[in-house]
Amino acid sequence: MMKSIMHIKTVLANDLLFQEGSVMNKLYFVLRGRVLVSKVNEEGKLLVFHYHFKNDLFGEFNPHGEHESAFTARAAVDSVIGVIHQDEFEALLKTNGDAAMAFTQWQSMKRITEYKFRDLMFHGKEGALAATLLRTANTYRKENDQRVIITRTFTDREFAEMLGTSRETVNRLLASFKRKKIITDTEGYIEILDETSLKALCQCEECPVSICRL
């Protein structure tokens, strides 16, 4: 039903879908590609909050008036996005109770940002990196002989952007995890050797994968 009211938009890598301060009156559905949702902190550092992949819905709007975004969304790669306008979506919800219920359930699951703030504020950089590695593993996961392999390579800069810190800090923390035999890497692909230790560092609450992901 949502696809029936989508306006299809092709965006190139690094194109913006919206930015901080934009009026939010649309939802976005990833048909192909990958989108990053980020924010620049007071020190001017980029902090990446979400990766959105094929079949992910994101965005927000306020039925009671104009709502400005606190985040920026840009295409990480060339992507195809379905744009859903607020007035058309509200009309759909009014005529279909099942769609309205599903949308309410989707909204209740949007707790990822809250958990990322918690990781950064209460578990320090070490705990935040541990949580990020777990989320990365849940997003790009392959298991082999009780080891968890992250099937996409990430640079120190990408991890730094997810933590709002420097590449040097990420490099130091990853080296510490390797010395403690919590992780290893082969040609840039990280393997988690001790998932229990990572979970202890961030006081993992065993959230479902729909929340514990990039």
Side-chain angles (χ1 to χ4, degrees):
M1 286 183 290
M2 292 175 65
K3 288 183 177 180
S4 71
I5 60 172
M6 284 180 186
H7 302 266
I8 307 303
K9 181 177 182 177
T10 299
V11 293
L12 301 178
N14 294 316
D15 281 357
L16 293 178
L17 292 169
F18 57 83
Q19 57 188 348
E20 293 183 51
S22 299
V23 174
M24 295 301 290
N25 54 11
K26 301 178 183 70
L27 296 176
Y28 301 85
F29 189 89
V30 182
L31 295 166
R32 188 174 74 240
R34 188 169 73 250
V35 174
L36 298 182
V37 176
S38 62
K39 184 176 179 65
V40 176
N41 67 16
E42 294 179 354
E43 299 174 353
K45 291 181 180 178
L46 182 70
L47 181 57
V48 175
F49 279 95
H50 306 290
Y51 279 69
H52 290 297
F53 306 92
K54 182 179 179 180
N55 293 330
D56 274 355
L57 178 69
F58 66 98
E60 54 189 301
F61 48 70
N62 184 352
H64 305 296
E66 289 191 352
H67 171 72
E68 293 185 356
S69 177
F71 304 97
T72 294
R74 63 178 174 85
V77 296
D78 293 352
S79 303
V80 178
I81 307 296
V83 182
I84 305 164
H85 294 269
Q86 178 172 343
D87 55 350
E88 295 176 314
F89 189 59
E90 287 179 338
L92 184 152
L93 297 182
K94 288 177 181 177
T95 59
N96 191 292
D98 289 342
M101 180 62 71
F103 182 61
T104 300
Q105 291 174 339
W106 172 78
Q107 286 183 307
S108 70
M109 293 295 289
K110 290 174 62 180
R111 297 151 57 192
I112 300 174
T113 301
E114 296 175 18
Y115 284 116
K116 290 189 176 181
F117 271 126
R118 178 202 62 187
D119 294 337
L120 291 170
M121 293 296 292
F122 297 108
H123 302 318
K125 292 294 189 291
E126 186 179 58
L129 179 57
T132 299
L133 288 172
L134 291 170
R135 290 193 182 96
T136 304
N138 285 338
T139 306
Y140 297 99
R141 185 183 189 94
K142 177 183 176 182
E143 296 190 19
N144 182 24
D145 295 331
Q146 298 183 334
R147 293 186 175 189
V148 177
I149 302 170
I150 296 174
T151 59
R152 184 198 151 195
T153 60
F154 283 82
T155 65
D156 289 353
R157 178 179 177 180
E158 287 177 298
F159 281 129
E161 289 177 346
M162 286 187 267
L163 300 178
T165 190
S166 67
R167 286 178 291 177
E168 292 76 15
T169 297
V170 169
N171 184 275
R172 176 176 55 80
L173 290 172
L174 288 174
S176 173
F177 288 176
K178 291 175 187 176
R179 287 195 301 272
K180 296 174 182 176
K181 300 190 184 302
I182 296 174
I183 66 168
T184 187
D185 72 77
T186 304
E187 298 181 349
Y189 292 91
I190 292 177
E191 294 185 36
I192 298 176
L193 307 177
D194 188 351
E195 198 167 13
T196 300
S197 292
L198 280 182
K199 290 180 177 181
L201 287 170
C202 61
Q203 299 177 28
C204 174
E205 298 175 359
E206 302 292 346
C207 298
V209 174
S210 58
I211 293 176
C212 186
R213 47 159 286 188
L214 292 179

